[in-house]
Amino acid sequence: QVQLVESGGGSVQPGGSLRLSCVASGFTLESPPVIGWFRQAPGKEREGVSCISTSDIVFYADSVKGRFYISRDNAKNLVYLQMNNLRPEDTAVYYCVTRLTPLDYCSGYSRYEYWGQGVQVTVSS
C-alpha cells in the first residue's frame, strides 16, 4: 500500500550536481514522516546517506556532509536530495526510505520499513 517512487537519477561528471526526488503515497500521517535516503554501490556496504525526522532534525553521513542537502514538501509528500560536488565514489543506487512511526532523531542506523525501487546515480569523467 505504501509506495515510494524515486526520480532524478542519471549520469554526471565529477563536480556536477543532481537532485533526487521521492514521492510517497498510500498513507496519511498527522505528523511529518521520517524519510531519507540510502545508497548501495557494487561491492560496498549499504550506507545511510541522509534523513529528516518527525521533528525536522536532519542527519548526513560524514561522506556527504557539506555536499548533500535533504529537504521536503510535506503538503505533497515529497522529499528531495540535492547532491552537489559529486564524486566518483558517490556512484550507487539510491533508495528512498520511510517509516510510519515517529522518530525525533534519525540516522543510517534507524529502521525503515518501506523502500523505493532505487535510482541509479553515476559520476564519471
Side-chain angles (χ1 to χ4, degrees):
Q1 185 177 358
V2 175
Q3 294 185 356
L4 301 169
V5 181
E6 305 99 328
S7 62
S11 298
V12 66
Q13 292 183 329
S17 298
L18 287 172
R19 189 181 75 164
L20 304 182
S21 300
C22 172
V23 58
S25 63
F27 66 93
T28 300
L29 299 174
E30 295 182 355
S31 301
V34 179
I35 194 166
W37 298 88
F38 275 72
R39 68 184 181 185
Q40 187 161 29
K44 296 181 65 177
E45 193 76 19
R46 187 177 62 192
E47 178 184 24
V49 177
S50 182
C51 57
I52 183 166
S53 77
T54 301
S55 301
D56 290 330
I57 298 172
V58 301
F59 159 84
Y60 297 102
D62 288 342
S63 57
V64 306
K65 284 182 179 178
R67 301 188 298 119
F68 290 14
Y69 302 92
I70 192 169
S71 62
R72 64 178 167 193
D73 183 339
N74 291 332
K76 298 182 178 180
N77 291 330
L78 287 168
V79 64
Y80 305 98
L81 185 67
Q82 178 67 45
M83 304 184 294
N84 300 320
N85 192 24
L86 284 161
R87 304 165 180 171
E89 53 263 40
D90 295 318
T91 297
V93 176
Y94 284 71
Y95 298 90
C96 181
V97 301
T98 193
R99 55 183 282 156
L100 299 184
T101 53
L103 198 63
D104 285 337
Y105 296 89
C106 65
S107 73
Y109 295 101
S110 303
R111 297 185 64 181
Y112 303 92
E113 56 187 317
Y114 299 103
W115 291 64
Q117 80 282 4
V119 62
Q120 179 70 46
V121 172
T122 302
V123 185
S124 66
S125 299

